[in-house]
Amino acid sequence: MRIDRWGRGLLAALALSVLWPSSAWAFDLPELMGLLAQQKSGEARFTEQRFVHGLEGPLDASGVLSFTAPDRLTRRTLSPRPETMSVEGNTLTLSRSGRTRTLALDSMPELLGMVEAMRGTLSGNAQSLQRYFRSSLSGSANGWTLDLQPIDPRLAAQVRSMRLSGRGGEVLGIDMEFIGGDRSVMSITPERGAGAAAATPVRSTP
C-alpha cells in the first residue's frame, strides 16, 4: 500500500516526536534562573505566619522586602513591631528599638545558607544556590515550585527544607520547615511600580 503525502508527513512528525522526547521541552532550572536574573531590583509586601512548636496558633508578621542585585536584601518588618534586617555582601545589619547590631554572615553558617538561598534565587545565581541546597523544580514559567534540600551539614542541622514558588521572574511564596517542627509560611506581593517585574515570558513552540 502506498503512503500519500499526508501520510508521509504524519510519519515524519511521529519520528521527530521519538527523536525529540517531551522532556526536552520541560521547564528547567537554567530557564528559571534566566527569568529571575532579569529582575535587577524590586520591592514587595509580605505577610508571614510562623508556626512554633508548643505554641497555639501562628505568630503573624508583615512588612516590606526589597532586593538589589547582586547581593543586597532587606526585610523591613512593620508589624507586630518595627525591625529591619539588611544583608549586603557578608554583612548582616539588624535594627530594632533604636539599636543597631552588625554581624559577619560567615560566622553563622546556618543563616548564611538561608540568605544565599534567597539571594541566589532572586539574582538567578544557580551556582550560589546549589552550593548549599539540592534543588528540584516543577511547573512552568507561568507557575513554578522550587524545592530545596540542605546539603551543608550545619544548615541541615537547622533547616529541614525550603520551598519557593512563583511566576516568571517573580518569587511569590516561601515555605520553610525547621528541624524541631517549626515552620514559616510567607506570601509575597510584588509592587508594580518602577523596577517591578515585566510580564511573564511564555515559551514559544517551534
Side-chain angles (χ1 to χ4, degrees), residues 70-144:
D71 62 3
R72 182 173 178 81
L73 177 66
T74 300
R75 169 182 164 136
R76 184 160 57 92
T77 302
L78 303 176
S79 175
R81 62 179 182 272
E83 62 181 34
T84 300
M85 182 185 75
S86 181
V87 181
E88 186 167 10
N90 188 47
T91 302
L92 169 68
T93 303
L94 300 170
S95 300
R96 180 192 299 172
S97 302
R99 296 194 299 178
T100 298
R101 184 182 180 189
T102 300
L103 303 168
L105 269 180
D106 55 14
S107 67
M108 299 171 289
E110 65 282 358
L111 182 56
L112 174 61
M114 287 187 285
V115 169
E116 290 299 345
M118 283 298 302
R119 291 197 298 200
T121 301
L122 290 171
S123 64
N125 187 337
Q127 183 178 3
S128 176
L129 181 66
Q130 293 177 323
R131 186 179 304 145
Y132 296 93
F133 292 89
R134 182 182 301 109
S135 63
S136 174
L137 178 65
S138 60
S140 68
N142 292 322
W144 51 265

Side-chain angles (χ1 to χ4, degrees), residues 1-8 10-11:
M1 181 178 65
R2 295 183 62 186
I3 300 175
D4 60 18
R5 184 177 300 176
W6 183 88
R8 289 195 295 270
L10 179 59
L11 287 176

Side-chain angles (χ1 to χ4, degrees), residues 38-43 169-170 190-199:
Q38 296 175 20
Q39 316 306 324
K40 301 303 181 184
S41 65
E43 187 169 282
E170 296 177 329
E191 297 288 346
R192 297 297 181 178

Side-chain angles (χ1 to χ4, degrees), residues 144 165-167 170-174 186-190 192:
W144 51 265
S165 57
R167 181 180 61 250
E170 296 177 329
V171 177
L172 303 178
I174 303 172
M186 180 182 291
S187 296
I188 300 171
T189 304
R192 297 297 181 178

Side-chain angles (χ1 to χ4, degrees), residues 5-52:
R5 184 177 300 176
W6 183 88
R8 289 195 295 270
L10 179 59
L11 287 176
L14 289 172
L16 284 174
S17 71
V18 173
L19 294 172
W20 197 281
S22 59
S23 61
W25 302 105
F27 183 63
D28 57 17
L29 187 63
E31 185 173 356
L32 173 60
M33 293 293 105
L35 292 175
L36 291 163
Q38 296 175 20
Q39 316 306 324
K40 301 303 181 184
S41 65
E43 187 169 282
R45 297 277 176 178
F46 77 86
T47 58
E48 180 186 37
Q49 289 189 312
R50 180 74 180 263
F51 299 88
V52 179

